[in-house]
Amino acid sequence: EKGGYEHFMLKEIYEQPSAILDTFRGRLLANEGIIKMSGIEDNMKKFLNADRIIIVACGTSWHAGLVAEYIFEDLARIPVEVEYASEFRYRNPVITEKDIVIAISQSGETADTLAAIKLAKSKGAFVFGVCNVVGSSIARESDAGAYTHAGPEIGVASTKAFTTQITVLTLMALRLARAKGTMSSSDFRRHLIELELIPDKVKKALESDAYVNTVAEIYKDAKNCLYLGRGYNFPVALEGALKLKEISYIHAEGYPAAEMKHGPIALIDEQMPVIVIATKKGHYEKVVSNIQEIKSRSGKIIGIVTEGDESVRNLADHVIEVPDCSESLSPLLTTIPLQLLSYHIAVKLGKNVDQPRNLAKSVTVE
Ligand code: M6R
């Protein structure tokens, strides 16, 4: 049932190109220049009149929510707040009928996320669920929703659920951008065509596997790791660090690259691997100067770069390439080598990759 892979996690990492295609199915009609999502069409008025979107989620799903914040604000110009479900529900939050709450959950059973949407509903908000498990509690409790259709995710460390969540949220943002007129029809079409190329680009990104494995061998005994990214790739840095913590038990932190100088830079010495997402579009020059700051303090630099990159290659100890794409879609590609890196490190350390200690696939306790 692992389809020839040693672990479910690796199988699920490799399933991402087809999982994303499944997420597109019936929704992304690039040739016709259309996105079809019944959960949005049926409630278009609500979406167009919403004052803001509040996203509630936990763990990796919360990271997908952070990526969605950039996408919704950038493309559809809708203000977004992203909340840990567990904090939101206990905070006496200000919610009105003009709010849309999007709950993101792979399992659809996370207790805090479920409680958060019940609270939001009781205050009159419209609740939209982005779940993977069909018929799950959060899916049933939501007023409307869109499934990710990633197929069963068995590994406790979430991989394909994350990229398909981002895919659904991107489709939603694009559909709303078109309806609101915040994006021209030519821009919209260009985005759809780019989106359609993503599964093949994810496949390409997976080709870094063998090289990532050699990088994993070098850093597997590290005690700490830092992950840095800016803009759309800041949440990817958080997700990379979570993945490493969960399955290898190595302490890791994700930071917005520019925040480094406000504290974490003090941690950097020749023992510290720093994984920096430095793709060409999106604050590239700024990230390169962040890399220079790390280098001058002797940190070990692993750059996640766009194919053909020169500047980072000259500074970094290692570079891992991903295909070129627009900034808003880059998280779907930059995530891949980070998943592989944590996977290979955990395997080399002899950890139980699919069932890490102390963790459950769905967290039904509060
Ligand atoms: O099923 P959910 O998406 O609601 O789960 C949320 C978190 O428990 C989950 O993402 C967790 O952080 C994963 N183990 C991350 O790999």
Side-chain angles (χ1 to χ4, degrees), residues 58-61 105-107 110 156-158 242-243 246 363:
C58 303
T60 289
S61 297
S105 175
Q106 187 286 130
S107 63
T110 300
V156 165
S158 189
L242 177 64
K243 226 75 304 170
E246 279 191 291
V363 182

Side-chain angles (χ1 to χ4, degrees), residues 191-352:
H191 268 84
L192 300 199
I193 288 160
E194 258 235 66
L195 199 50
E196 208 177 28
L197 298 174
I198 287 293
D200 273 339
K201 291 186 178 180
V202 171
K203 225 179 253 169
K204 220 41 214 315
L206 285 164
E207 288 171 12
S208 65
D209 197 358
Y211 181 63
V212 174
N213 192 23
T214 64
V215 175
E217 184 60 36
I218 300 169
Y219 295 103
K220 66 180 193 306
D221 297 314
K223 295 282 164 277
N224 299 284
C225 272
L226 205 53
Y227 287 75
L228 303 176
R230 296 177 84 120
Y232 280 91
N233 282 297
F234 156 53
V236 176
L238 297 182
E239 174 60 9
L242 177 64
K243 226 75 304 170
L244 189 70
K245 280 184 265 209
E246 279 191 291
I247 59 170
S248 73
Y249 318 145
I250 295 172
H251 172 243
E253 302 238 23
Y255 259 95
E259 271 295 303
M260 201 182 52
K261 56 185 169 300
H262 300 286
I265 199 164
L267 293 168
I268 292 175
D269 62 15
E270 59 290 341
Q271 305 297 324
M272 177 70 100
V274 187
I275 294 102
V276 191
I277 304 157
T279 42
K280 271 275 157 61
K281 295 179 186 127
H283 320 293
Y284 176 72
E285 300 304 330
K286 299 264 180 203
V287 178
V288 171
S289 62
N290 295 142
I291 290 175
Q292 265 149 351
E293 291 157 14
I294 303 162
K295 193 168 173 72
S296 64
R297 286 156 186 91
S298 308
K300 297 282 179 289
I301 299 155
I302 303 159
I304 311 296
V305 301
T306 306
E307 256 165 11
D309 179 280
E310 295 287 337
S311 311
V312 178
R313 187 176 292 273
N314 291 334
L315 293 167
D317 296 274
H318 316 271
V319 292
I320 303 167
E321 293 190 335
V322 294
D324 191 20
C325 73
S326 69
E327 193 195 358
S328 64
L329 298 178
S330 63
L332 293 167
L333 305 182
T334 52
T335 301
I336 306 296
L338 304 189
Q339 294 171 342
L340 290 168
L341 183 64
S342 58
Y343 172 78
H344 287 301
I345 290 179
V347 170
K348 287 174 196 301
L349 296 176
K351 306 299 183 205
N352 187 343

